[in-house]
Amino acid sequence: MRCIFCRIVAGEADGDILFQDEKMTAFRDMRPQAPTHVLIVPNSHVSSLAELLDTDSSLLVRMFSQAHHLAEAMGVADKGYRLIINNGPDAGQVVDHLHLHLLGGKRMPPNRMSLRWKDEMA
Ligand code: AMP
Protein backbone atom coordinates (compact mmCIF):
# COMPACT_ATOMS: atom_id res chain seq x y z
CA MET A 1 0.00 0.00 0.00
CA ARG A 2 1.32 3.45 -0.94
CA CYS A 3 1.98 5.99 1.81
CA ILE A 4 -0.80 8.37 2.81
CA PHE A 5 0.92 11.45 1.35
CA CYS A 6 1.51 9.65 -1.99
CA ARG A 7 -2.20 8.85 -2.05
CA ILE A 8 -3.21 12.45 -1.28
CA VAL A 9 -0.88 13.67 -4.06
CA ALA A 10 -2.45 11.20 -6.49
CA GLY A 11 -6.01 12.15 -5.46
CA GLU A 12 -6.63 8.66 -4.09
CA ALA A 13 -7.11 9.86 -0.48
CA ASP A 14 -8.90 12.93 0.85
CA GLY A 15 -6.74 15.99 1.23
CA ASP A 16 -7.51 19.69 1.34
CA ILE A 17 -5.09 20.59 -1.46
CA LEU A 18 -4.12 24.26 -1.67
CA PHE A 19 -1.46 24.03 -4.35
CA GLN A 20 -0.13 21.44 -6.75
CA ASP A 21 2.32 21.48 -9.63
CA GLU A 22 4.36 18.77 -11.35
CA LYS A 23 6.84 18.58 -8.47
CA MET A 24 5.06 19.33 -5.19
CA THR A 25 1.71 19.43 -3.42
CA ALA A 26 0.54 21.54 -0.46
CA PHE A 27 -2.42 20.51 1.65
CA ARG A 28 -3.84 21.33 5.07
CA ASP A 29 -2.63 19.26 8.03
CA MET A 30 -5.52 17.15 9.35
CA ARG A 31 -4.53 17.94 12.98
CA PRO A 32 -3.57 21.60 12.80
CA GLN A 33 -1.19 22.92 15.45
CA ALA A 34 -1.90 26.53 14.48
CA PRO A 35 -4.70 28.40 12.65
CA THR A 36 -2.66 27.97 9.48
CA HIS A 37 -0.99 24.56 9.21
CA VAL A 38 -0.04 23.38 5.75
CA LEU A 39 2.18 20.51 4.64
CA ILE A 40 4.27 20.87 1.48
CA VAL A 41 5.48 17.57 0.05
CA PRO A 42 7.38 16.36 -3.01
CA ASN A 43 5.01 14.54 -5.36
CA SER A 44 7.36 11.56 -5.59
CA HIS A 45 7.93 9.46 -2.54
CA VAL A 46 11.05 10.79 -0.82
CA SER A 47 11.57 9.64 2.77
CA SER A 48 14.23 11.98 4.02
CA LEU A 49 16.04 15.23 3.45
CA ALA A 50 19.18 13.27 2.48
CA GLU A 51 17.21 11.46 -0.22
CA LEU A 52 15.86 14.71 -1.64
CA LEU A 53 19.31 16.30 -1.62
CA ASP A 54 20.62 13.28 -3.52
CA THR A 55 17.82 13.19 -6.09
CA ASP A 56 16.43 16.72 -6.60
CA SER A 57 18.05 19.28 -4.30
CA SER A 58 16.56 22.23 -6.25
CA LEU A 59 13.09 21.08 -5.17
CA LEU A 60 13.97 21.95 -1.58
CA VAL A 61 14.39 25.61 -2.51
CA ARG A 62 11.14 25.51 -4.48
CA MET A 63 9.28 24.01 -1.50
CA PHE A 64 10.51 26.81 0.81
CA SER A 65 9.67 29.39 -1.82
CA GLN A 66 6.18 27.95 -2.26
CA ALA A 67 5.72 27.95 1.53
CA HIS A 68 6.36 31.68 1.51
CA HIS A 69 3.89 32.25 -1.33
CA LEU A 70 1.25 30.24 0.54
CA ALA A 71 1.94 32.20 3.73
CA GLU A 72 1.37 35.41 1.77
CA ALA A 73 -1.80 34.09 0.14
CA MET A 74 -3.14 32.93 3.52
CA GLY A 75 -2.39 36.28 5.14
CA VAL A 76 0.20 35.13 7.66
CA ALA A 77 3.42 36.25 5.98
CA ASP A 78 3.56 39.75 7.47
CA LYS A 79 3.29 38.66 11.10
CA GLY A 80 5.58 35.67 10.61
CA TYR A 81 5.38 31.94 10.22
CA ARG A 82 7.36 28.88 11.15
CA LEU A 83 8.73 26.26 8.73
CA ILE A 84 9.66 22.86 10.16
CA ILE A 85 11.00 19.61 8.75
CA ASN A 86 10.99 16.72 11.20
CA ASN A 87 13.69 14.56 9.65
CA GLY A 88 14.03 11.06 11.11
CA PRO A 89 12.96 9.32 14.31
CA ASP A 90 14.80 11.54 16.81
CA ALA A 91 12.99 14.53 15.31
CA GLY A 92 9.63 12.81 15.68
CA GLN A 93 8.96 12.25 11.97
CA VAL A 94 5.78 10.21 11.87
CA VAL A 95 4.93 10.10 8.16
CA ASP A 96 7.77 8.61 6.13
CA HIS A 97 7.35 11.02 3.21
CA LEU A 98 9.37 14.21 3.49
CA HIS A 99 7.15 17.20 4.33
CA LEU A 100 7.64 20.83 5.21
CA HIS A 101 5.27 22.16 7.88
CA LEU A 102 4.09 25.76 7.44
CA LEU A 103 2.63 27.09 10.70
CA GLY A 104 1.20 30.54 11.21
CA GLY A 105 -1.67 32.66 12.42
CA LYS A 106 -0.72 32.69 16.09
CA ARG A 107 2.15 33.88 18.26
CA MET A 108 4.47 30.92 18.81
CA PRO A 109 6.99 30.71 21.64
CA PRO A 110 10.66 31.13 20.80
CA ASN A 111 12.50 27.84 21.14
CA ARG A 112 14.33 27.23 24.41
CA MET A 113 17.80 27.27 22.81
CA SER A 114 17.19 30.77 21.47
CA LEU A 115 16.02 31.96 24.89
CA ARG A 116 19.16 30.55 26.56
CA TRP A 117 21.35 32.19 23.92
CA LYS A 118 19.55 35.52 24.43
CA ASP A 119 20.16 35.30 28.20
CA GLU A 120 23.84 34.53 27.66
CA MET A 121 24.20 37.51 25.31
CA ALA A 122 22.50 39.92 27.74
P1 AMP B 1 5.55 14.64 11.27
O1 AMP B 1 5.45 14.42 12.73
O2 AMP B 1 6.47 15.75 10.90
O3 AMP B 1 5.80 13.36 10.49
O4 AMP B 1 4.11 15.18 10.85
C1 AMP B 1 3.14 14.45 10.18
C2 AMP B 1 1.94 15.34 10.04
O5 AMP B 1 1.08 14.77 9.07
C3 AMP B 1 1.13 15.53 11.33
O6 AMP B 1 1.06 16.91 11.64
C4 AMP B 1 -0.23 14.94 10.97
O7 AMP B 1 -1.29 15.64 11.56
C5 AMP B 1 -0.24 15.06 9.45
N1 AMP B 1 -1.09 14.08 8.76
C6 AMP B 1 -1.06 12.73 8.90
N2 AMP B 1 -1.96 12.16 8.07
C7 AMP B 1 -2.55 13.18 7.39
C8 AMP B 1 -3.57 13.25 6.39
N3 AMP B 1 -4.17 12.15 5.93
N4 AMP B 1 -3.93 14.46 5.92
C9 AMP B 1 -3.34 15.58 6.40
N5 AMP B 1 -2.37 15.60 7.34
C10 AMP B 1 -1.99 14.40 7.83
Side-chain angles (χ1 to χ4, degrees), residues 65-79:
S65 168
Q66 189 55 47
H68 178 70
H69 293 315
L70 282 163
E72 282 184 323
M74 298 173 92
V76 300
D78 285 350
K79 283 194 159 181

Side-chain angles (χ1 to χ4, degrees), residues 1-14 97:
M1 173 116 108
R2 290 209 289 165
C3 95
I4 181 63
F5 288 177
C6 282
R7 290 191 290 130
I8 290 173
V9 166
E12 296 163 6
D14 285 345
H97 181 137

Side-chain angles (χ1 to χ4, degrees), residues 68-105:
H68 178 70
H69 293 315
L70 282 163
E72 282 184 323
M74 298 173 92
V76 300
D78 285 350
K79 283 194 159 181
Y81 54 85
R82 186 170 282 182
L83 299 175
I84 299 172
I85 293 178
N86 295 319
N87 189 63
D90 276 6
Q93 181 177 1
V94 172
V95 179
D96 181 37
H97 181 137
L98 181 72
H99 47 283
L100 176 62
H101 294 258
L102 160 62
L103 295 149

Side-chain angles (χ1 to χ4, degrees), residues 17-54:
I17 293 180
L18 302 171
F19 173 85
Q20 188 164 48
D21 68 9
E22 76 287 359
K23 290 276 189 180
M24 73 184 117
T25 301
F27 52 89
R28 285 186 203 276
D29 195 294
M30 71 187 310
R31 287 183 216 93
Q33 306 295 316
T36 297
H37 189 171
V38 178
L39 302 173
I40 299 131
V41 309
N43 289 346
S44 1
H45 187 86
V46 174
S47 296
S48 67
L49 196 51
E51 201 179 321
L52 186 64
L53 292 173
D54 279 349

